[in-house]
């Protein structure tokens, strides 16, 4: 079955392929998308800010367009310039990657209005799921369990009394772990509502909030889904993402070491049901919190995710190529029963940060670089020796992904690969990953979303 599926997956080309794709992003994800285009023989157009002239995605693309008058930090958010670049270069499709405009419904609609194919779900699906409190309501309608709470902040105090403290205040437009506050009592809740609103207005331009009960020590487990324009929706199993700092993932693995086959099946089924509810096309992720055998929907990310290679490695399915095919009008190339589920995969985010100094960003020049290789090792990164990491963007500079038949073998392989990884000139999260690989809780698979911060506090 495995080989059969891979063979079918390997049959490239076809009637509807996009003729050229503009990649509206930078860094490792831009390179990842360019690679998928090139394997499908679709020319890829890179865009770059003034700070990114020497970036690897520019070197690897078939064409590149400068979009970046200073301030460099804003170039990849300039919808107008991106669409203009796509039109100028005769690109048919636009791939947004993750971050920046990836979950911006107006950008997806603007692409469509300009006659371009947005490589992602419809603007309507992004709109529906992009607002986290509206998504919660849709989940309830689809009979997908949600964390006890309320979609409105107007009745926050009342709801908190009902569900009991501690509670979590969340920005409806939030993402990347921001716009979230915890309150232990009424006084803290009043303050949390004020602070979260300000933070959300500043970060997302929109301050509406909602409330959830704070779960203590849940796991974060998410399901990868993929849909096409004929209404087919499949899942590609789950990813365990409980190793987090400041509510941001630091390493991910699949399968989840903490769920039973029954929970896996129910959760995957719920994710597919929700995706169908919004006529979801392209790749997406339905995130859940898990406590024991109970799982609760928290949000849907309507884009390719940072940790998608974990699923690609586990299943052998190239999610980005599948996005490109589906956007070109093709049907999903796999049926649910043909999705392989084989072995164990782990991803380690390599951030240019100093774990010794409270994860302070550590941009600068890579003075020496030796990248790991060998069996079961994949590195998705956009750095090279001599490259200067600009200070304007996200600090994640690469990802190490390993695969092995068992979890134990994957852990040993990851240790070996991280030892091979020599990256000098900047500080990175590699030492933290080395430490986690020796950590008893991690090795046993019994860790939750609060675990890493507890561990760091012990220092
Ligand atoms: P994941 O890591 O699961 O793909 P994240 O929520 O961490 O999802 O987001 C991926 C990237 O997108 C990160 O670089 C994050 O900083 C960024 N990001 C996510 N949501 C937003 C948002 N609403 N505004 C700005 N950046 C965001
Ligand atoms: P974002 O949009 O920033 O990714 P999420 O709603 O996905 O925000 O939550 C991010 C993280 O915050 C989760 O992975 C989890 O660790 C924590 N979290 C979210 N909601 C709750 C909750 N109700 N109780 C406990 N932890 C939560
Ligand atoms: Mg999330």
């Amino acid at each position: 079955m495995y080989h059969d599926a891979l063979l079918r997956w390997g049959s490239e080309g076809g009637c509807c392929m996009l003729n050229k794709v503009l990649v509206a992003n930078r860094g490792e994800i831009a390179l990842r998308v360019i690679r998928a285009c090139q394997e499908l023989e679709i020319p890829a157009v890179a865009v770059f800010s003034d700070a990114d002239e020497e970036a690897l995605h520019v070197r690897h693309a078939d064409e590149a367009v400068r979009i970046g008058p200073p301030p460099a930090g804003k170039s990849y958010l300039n919808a107008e310039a991106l669409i203009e670049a796509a039109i100028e270069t005769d690109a048919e499709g636009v791939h947004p990657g993750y971050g920046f405009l990836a979950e911006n419904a107006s950008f997806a609609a603007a692409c469509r209005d300009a006659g371009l194919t947005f490589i992602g779900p419809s603007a309507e699906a992004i709109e529906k799921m992009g607002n986290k409190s509206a998504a919660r309501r849709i989940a309830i309608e689809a009979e997908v369990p949600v964390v006890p709470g309320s979609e409105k902040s107007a009745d926050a105090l009342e709801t908190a009394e009902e569900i009991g403290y501690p509670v979590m205040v969340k920005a409806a437009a939030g993402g990347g772990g921001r716009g979230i506050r915890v309150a232990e009592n009424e006084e803290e809740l009043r303050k949390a509502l004020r602070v979260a609103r300000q933070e959300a207005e500043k970060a997302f331009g929109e301050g509406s909030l909602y409330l959830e009960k704070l779960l203590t020590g849940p796991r974060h487990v998410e399901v990868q889904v993929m849909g096409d324009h004929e209404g087919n929706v499949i899942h590609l199993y789950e990813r365990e993402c409980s190793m987090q700092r400041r509510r941001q993932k630091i390493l991910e693995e699949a399968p989840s070491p903490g769920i039973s086959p029954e929970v896996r099946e129910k959760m995957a089924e719920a994710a597919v049901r929700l995706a169908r509810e919004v006529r979801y096309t392209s790749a997406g992720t339905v995130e859940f919190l898990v406590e024991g055998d109970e799982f609760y929907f928290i949000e849907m990310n309507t884009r390719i995710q940072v940790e998608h290679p974990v699923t690609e490695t586990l299943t052998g399915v190239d999610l980005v190529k599948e996005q490109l095919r589906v956007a070109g009008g093709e049907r999903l190339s796999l049926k649910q029963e043909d999705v392989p589920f084989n072995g164990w995969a782990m991803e380690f985010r390599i951030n240019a940060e100093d774990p010794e100094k409270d994860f302070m960003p550590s941009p600068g020049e890579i003075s020496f670089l030796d990248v790991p290789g060998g069996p079961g090792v994949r590195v998705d990164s956009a750095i090279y020796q001599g490259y200067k990491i600009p200070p304007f963007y996200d600090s994640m500079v690469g990802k190490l992904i390993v695969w092995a038949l068992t979890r134990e073998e994957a852990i040993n392989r990851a240790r070996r690969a991280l030892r091979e990884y020599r990256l000098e000139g900047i500080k990175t999260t590699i030492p933290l990953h080395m430490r986690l690989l020796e950590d008893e809780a991690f090795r046993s698979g019994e860790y939750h979303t609060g675990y890493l911060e507890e561990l760091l506090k012990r220092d």
Side-chain angles (χ1 to χ4, degrees):
M1 181 191 88
Y2 189 62
H3 293 287
D4 201 39
L6 286 185
L7 277 180
R8 224 166 320 129
W9 212 265
S11 61
E12 324 282 44
C15 62
C16 320
M17 226 17 112
L18 299 165
N19 74 347
K20 199 192 257 191
V21 166
L22 179 128
V23 184
N25 214 301
R26 67 180 302 279
E28 67 86 21
I29 192 62
L31 195 53
R32 169 71 191 91
V33 176
I34 290 167
R35 285 176 169 148
C37 290
Q38 291 176 342
E39 287 181 24
L40 290 173
E41 297 186 356
I42 303 172
V45 184
V47 292
F48 62 101
S49 67
D50 289 351
D52 275 346
E53 218 166 331
E54 302 298 325
L56 212 52
H57 74 283
V58 178
R59 290 198 197 167
H60 279 261
D62 299 278
E63 283 172 68
V65 181
R66 180 190 293 269
I67 43 150
K74 296 271 187 241
S75 310
Y76 300 95
L77 289 169
N78 188 341
E80 224 170 283
L82 292 164
I83 289 173
E84 205 178 288
I87 292 170
E88 258 174 33
T89 53
D90 282 325
E92 224 173 356
V94 175
H95 196 300
Y98 57 70
F100 298 119
L101 297 171
E103 291 182 276
N104 186 312
S106 326
F107 181 60
C111 285
R112 186 173 57 194
D113 294 346
L116 301 164
T117 302
F118 179 79
I119 302 163
S122 66
E124 290 72 24
I126 301 177
E127 175 97 51
K128 279 188 181 148
M129 293 320 244
N131 182 305
K132 290 167 73 180
S133 109
R136 198 185 132 86
R137 208 156 39 235
I138 296 171
I140 294 170
E141 277 159 25
E143 293 181 12
V144 172
V146 299
V147 186
S150 157
E151 286 84 74
K152 290 181 292 217
S153 61
D155 48 16
L157 294 165
E158 226 170 275
T159 307
E161 283 305 325
E162 240 171 74
I163 59 177
Y165 289 94
V167 294
M168 197 175 237
V169 173
K170 289 183 166 185
R178 286 176 304 162
I180 294 180
R181 282 287 176 285
V182 171
E184 300 281 347
N185 51 47
E186 190 180 323
E187 192 191 328
E188 283 184 21
L189 179 55
R190 286 181 199 280
K191 186 170 165 223
L193 289 165
R194 211 167 46 238
V195 177
R197 188 178 306 280
Q198 277 167 2
E199 191 177 311
E201 271 165 6
K202 194 158 163 258
F204 315 113
E206 206 269 300
S208 58
L209 304 172
Y210 66 107
L211 201 72
E212 270 176 14
K213 179 152 182 71
L214 179 83
L215 304 183
T216 45
R219 282 179 172 268
H220 173 123
V221 185
E222 58 187 32
V223 178
Q224 176 71 53
V225 296
M226 182 82 217
D228 66 18
H229 293 282
E230 292 179 17
N232 302 303
V233 181
I234 61 171
H235 71 82
L236 294 102
Y237 299 97
E238 82 280 5
R239 289 183 292 258
E240 166 73 60
C241 308
S242 298
M243 203 56 90
Q244 302 181 352
R245 187 182 158 267
R246 297 201 170 153
R247 304 192 176 94
Q248 282 205 312
K249 302 155 190 165
I250 174 107
L251 77 79
E252 303 92 353
E253 61 178 313
S256 163
I259 62 169
S260 64
E262 292 75 38
V263 171
R264 166 171 303 122
E265 198 183 313
K266 276 196 205 156
M267 215 159 79
E269 192 265 329
V272 168
R273 191 152 20 100
L274 187 61
R276 280 192 212 286
E277 183 84 14
V278 293
R279 297 173 181 275
Y280 199 82
T281 56
S282 197
T285 299
V286 183
E287 296 190 337
F288 296 97
L289 295 180
V290 182
E291 270 187 342
D293 279 345
E294 301 296 324
F295 60 88
Y296 310 93
F297 167 82
I298 48 170
E299 68 157 340
M300 180 167 192
N301 291 323
T302 55
R303 55 171 160 89
I304 194 80
Q305 265 185 299
V306 172
E307 59 272 25
H308 76 277
V310 170
T311 301
E312 293 189 325
T313 309
L314 190 81
T315 63
V317 173
D318 187 316
L319 290 167
V320 181
K321 278 197 213 162
E322 199 55 16
Q323 281 190 303
L324 291 163
R325 290 202 189 90
V326 164
E330 287 185 33
R331 186 185 301 164
L332 286 180
S333 18
L334 235 75
K335 287 199 166 54
Q336 187 63 62
E337 57 271 26
D338 297 330
V339 179
F341 181 74
N342 197 13
W344 213 283
M346 289 182 176
E347 177 186 270
F348 302 83
R349 297 193 187 196
I350 316 294
N351 297 344
E353 292 170 358
D354 187 353
E356 298 276 299
K357 289 193 183 138
D358 200 27
F359 295 83
M360 193 166 82
S362 175
E365 184 170 334
I366 312 282
S367 54
F368 183 84
L369 180 64
D370 222 347
V371 177
V377 171
R378 165 176 172 181
V379 175
D380 277 24
S381 163
I383 56 172
Y384 54 87
Q385 192 164 313
Y387 175 64
K388 279 197 194 73
I389 299 169
F392 310 110
Y393 307 102
D394 194 275
S395 61
M396 198 190 74
V397 295
K399 308 178 300 204
L400 165 73
I401 303 102
V402 300
W403 179 89
L405 267 177
T406 64
R407 188 167 188 268
E408 196 186 352
E409 196 186 358
I411 287 176
N412 289 337
R413 181 161 280 166
R415 279 160 71 201
R416 186 270 294 169
L418 285 168
R419 253 183 252 131
E420 282 179 26
Y421 219 140
R422 281 190 55 206
L423 208 168
E424 287 166 19
I426 58 161
K427 298 285 185 196
T428 74
T429 43
I430 291 175
L432 174 70
H433 291 308
M434 290 295 267
R435 177 176 173 190
L436 286 172
L437 286 165
E438 305 297 333
D439 183 78
E440 228 167 274
F442 177 70
R443 291 180 71 96
S444 71
E446 289 186 23
Y447 58 98
H448 56 83
T449 54
Y451 180 72
L452 177 57
E453 297 211 346
E454 281 170 20
L455 183 72
L456 294 171
K457 258 193 223 134
R458 270 186 241 156
D459 292 345

